[in-house]
């Protein structure tokens, strides 16, 4: 574009009326949208949906081999199959359904069973076993994947074919998870986070060692290593940053409000209902979800967050955790959109914090389940290079008149803008400080309702790429307007200085 | 256009209410039919104010959209952050010769749209924004 046009735009700061009188520019051919649109992988489905019956024959013996229908791999890319255990992965589902049905209705089950003759029973069982085995085997047979220089290709589908080409430089993170059963067999599941897709693409299951190697290779390539060296780079060395002791985790969970509230509710509400209705079913129906919630938010979290380790490696932060199901996650440093520092009320005396993340296209949310503040801040410094968590004293409160808009909770609101981050805090008992790096800001908004205008305050909202919005609530109008302009300016300049997406090319290399 | 919709819905409602009440409850009650009419008049004024409040400015590095009278909202989208620019125009909009421009960024919360533009201006804006977006594009 011409320099004159730029200056013209500079001058055009006065807002234009809608619709402006004349179009000063002849319409050109529609240009393609700006680059950076995430690579669309069509509606992602799990690579296959195998539902074989338990005790099915090993896949190799089932069904005809439709070898002719497997298209030859394009180019000279070596296509690979998943681990042969895969067809058995959903084996538990039919058993669970049968057991659940039998448990739910014991009399009916007995009657049904006695009605069936031995022949029909045998026939039915055979049909289910053969059908299940065949389906499981075929879907495994038709699932291939290959790694090329720029893409990961997954070809799958028995009736509905699906080919996903995932651009390596759009991969946000690669997770290896091992459910309990998979741990026993020695296989692992690879999950890929890609921007813009709702659901994760998975490769399930792979051999344990193979999964680790593939993850290292994918991450190395996503980080910009040359394809030839990517395989040799191997698993990048890890420097341990943080390890959460089980005792600390247990104490921290005991000091969290949610499980206790749910537990008390689970005791009080059903008792109350029993007094009113004297109906056992109502009581059970209300008590069970509450008990389940209490369990999930205490014991469930303990099991998931047990043995939490955060390590630093050249391809990002490594997170390993789990008591029963093991998970190994990687958070690439350049792709974190927001960091939340959560501080429940009872943790404040111990100065412990929990750190959560928003990564575009990823469901990884917890970075540190619990840690002393200083340690947590050192981990945050790894995730947001150059950023510093503003101390509580640096946060500016909203003006006093904000109390008319949000009576008690306005005390919890706070805002600090440093060179690297936009930090907004909210919450009174459970304080939550959200940090957005300036370079990750997608758009800035100012919103003001009629009552807020009467009280001369406004909200400033900052949208990030992870579909999350961080709001600095109830700032003075003049301050908010100034903040809006300044933030737009900062996010623009911040973006220019930001690290490139291929963060390893810059010389950090492993 | 919203004015038009307002009139289309509220005037028949007023007539229907007037006729029904006049038939069943006596002519005195039919005066209630004036209620939707008053609403229509008030809405007419409100929509006018709302329409006048929509503003946009192409600035050097970002697009500023400001709108709303009671609920004011101002949005700034840096050009480098635009992922997609859309020109939309529904059947009613087309009848009146209007088109809207919708901007998409990687954040779904970004509600940056400019409705009710002249189609030529909408196309010009779209081309201009894509061009600027390409020049300043950045990763996520």
């Amino acid at each position: 574009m011409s320099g004159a046009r730029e200056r013209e735009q500079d001058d055009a700061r006065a807002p234009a009326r809608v619709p402006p009188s004349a179009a000063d520019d002849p319409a050109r051919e529609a240009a393609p949208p700006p680059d950076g649109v995430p690579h669309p992988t069509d509606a992602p489905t799990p690579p296959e949906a195998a539902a074989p019956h338990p005790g099915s024959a090993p896949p190799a013996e089932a069904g005809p081999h439709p070898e002719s229908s497997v298209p030859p791999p394009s180019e000279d890319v070596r296509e690979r199959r998943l681990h042969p255990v895969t067809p058995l992965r959903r084996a538990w589902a039919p058993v669970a359904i049968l057991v659940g049905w039998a448990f739910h209705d014991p009399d009916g089950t007995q009657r049904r069973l006695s009605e069936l003759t031995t022949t029909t029973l045998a026939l039915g069982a055979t049909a289910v076993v053969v059908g299940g085995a065949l389906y499981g085997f075929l879907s495994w047979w038709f699932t291939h994947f290959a790694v090329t220089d720029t893409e990961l290709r997954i070809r799958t589908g028995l009736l509905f074919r699906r080919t996903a080409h995932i651009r390596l430089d759009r991969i946000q993170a690669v997770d290896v998870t091992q459910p309990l059963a998979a741990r026993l067999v020695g296989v692992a599941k690879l999950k890929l986070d890609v921007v813009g897709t709702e659901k994760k693409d998975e490769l399930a299951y792979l051999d344990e060692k193979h999964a680790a190697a593939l993850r290292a290779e994918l991450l190395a390539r996503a980080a910009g290593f040359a394809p030839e060296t990517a395989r040799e780079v191997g698993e990048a060395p890890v420097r341990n940053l943080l390890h959460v002791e089980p005792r600390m985790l247990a104490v921290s969970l005991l000091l969290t409000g949610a499980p206790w509230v749910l537990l008390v509710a689970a005791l009080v509400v059903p008792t109350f209902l029993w007094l009113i209705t004297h109906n056992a079913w109502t009581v059970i129906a209300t008590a069970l979800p509450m008990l389940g919630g209490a369990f999930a938010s205490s014991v469930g979290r303990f099991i998931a967050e047990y043995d939490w380790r955060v390590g630093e490696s050249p391809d990002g932060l490594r997170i390993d955790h789990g008591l029963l199901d093991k998970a190994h996650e990687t958070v690439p440093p350049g792709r974190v959109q927001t960091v939340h520092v959560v501080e429940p009320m009872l943790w404040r005396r111990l100065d412990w914090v929990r750190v959560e993340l928003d990564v575009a296209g990823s469901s990884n949310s917890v970075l540190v389940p619990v840690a002393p503040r200083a340690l947590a801040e050192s981990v945050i410094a790894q995730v947001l290079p150059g950023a510093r968590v503003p101390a509580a004293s640096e946060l500016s409160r909203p003006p006093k008149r904000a109390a008319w808009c949000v009576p008690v909770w306005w005390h919890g609101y706070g805002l600090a803008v440093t060179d690297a981050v936009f930090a907004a805090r909210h919450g009174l008992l459970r304080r939550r400080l959200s940090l957005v790096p300036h370079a990750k800001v997608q758009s800035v908004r100012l919103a003001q309702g009629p009552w807020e205008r009467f009280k001369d305050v406004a909200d400033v909202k900052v949208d990030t790429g992870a579909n999350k919005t961080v709001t600095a609530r109830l700032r003075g109008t003049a301050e908010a307007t100034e903040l809006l302009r300044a933030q737009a300016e900062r996010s623009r300049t911040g973006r220019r200085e930001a690290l490139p997406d291929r963060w390893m090319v810059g010389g950090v290399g492993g | 256009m919203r004015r038009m919709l307002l009139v289309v819905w509220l005037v028949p409602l007023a007539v229907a209410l007037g006729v029904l009440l006049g038939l069943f409850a006596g002519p005195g009650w039919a005066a209630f039919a004036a209620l939707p009419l008053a609403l229509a008049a008030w809405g007419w004024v409100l929509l006018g104010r709302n329409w006048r409040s929509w503003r946009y400015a192409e600035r050097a590095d970002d697009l500023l959209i400001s709108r709303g009278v009671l609920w004011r909202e101002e949005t700034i989208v840096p050009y480098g952050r635009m992922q997609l620019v859309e020109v939309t125009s529904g059947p009613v909009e087309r009848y009146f010769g209007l088109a809207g421009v919708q901007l998409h960024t990687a954040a779904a919360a970004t509600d940056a749209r400019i409705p009710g533009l002249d189609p030529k201006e909408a196309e010009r804006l779209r081309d201009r924004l894509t061009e600027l977006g390409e020049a300043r594009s950045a990763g996520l």
Side-chain angles (χ1 to χ4, degrees), chain B residues 104-125:
Chain B
H104 295 275
T105 67
T110 309
D111 178 28
R113 73 201 157 85
I114 314 174
L117 290 172
D118 187 43
K120 269 212 188 105
E121 163 68 5
E123 269 171 36
R124 184 200 67 82
L125 195 64

Side-chain angles (χ1 to χ4, degrees), chain A residues 222-301:
Chain A
F225 276 113
E228 309 84 58
T229 52
R231 211 158 293 154
E232 279 92 71
V233 170
E235 190 85 2
V238 182
R239 189 168 66 87
N240 217 355
L241 285 180
L242 180 134
H243 177 224
V244 180
E245 302 288 334
R247 204 177 132 261
M248 188 173 180
L249 183 64
V251 171
S252 77
L253 287 176
L254 286 180
L255 288 178
T256 320
W260 294 112
V261 171
L262 279 167
L263 200 64
V264 170
L267 293 178
V268 172
V269 175
T271 324
F272 193 64
L273 277 177
W274 174 251
L275 289 179
I276 295 177
T277 60
H278 288 278
N279 183 342
W281 288 111
T282 337
V283 173
I284 290 174
T286 49
L288 271 184
M290 286 183 185
L291 279 177
F295 182 83
S297 61
S298 54
V299 182
R301 252 175 70 178

Side-chain angles (χ1 to χ4, degrees), chain B residues 12-36:
Chain B
L13 187 72
V15 172
L17 204 66
V19 170
L20 281 177
L21 283 174
L23 283 179
F24 293 108
W29 289 91
F32 273 101
L35 215 67

Side-chain angles (χ1 to χ4, degrees), chain A residues 5-6 9-10 16 18 20 24-25 28 34 36 439 441 443-446 448 453 464 467 485 492 495, chain B residues 54 56 58 60-61 69 71-74 76 81-83 107-110 124 127-128 131 134 136 140:
Chain A
R5 175 161 280 289
E6 260 217 276
Q9 292 310 317
D10 257 323
V18 182
D24 61 332
D25 203 8
R28 271 175 237 109
V441 174
S443 64
V444 197
R445 288 180 291 150
L446 181 146
Q448 190 180 39
R453 184 132 65 114
T464 70
N467 279 343
R485 322 264 147 180
R492 189 169 57 78
R495 212 167 321 121
Chain B
W54 281 87
Y56 71 91
E58 296 167 57
D61 291 293
V69 181
W71 277 269
R72 241 159 37 89
E73 189 154 340
E74 233 170 274
I76 295 184
R81 289 312 207 188
M82 285 173 199
Q83 300 273 334
T110 309
R124 184 200 67 82
D127 293 343
R128 172 98 190 113
E131 186 189 314
E134 250 168 40
R136 291 177 173 73
L140 292 172

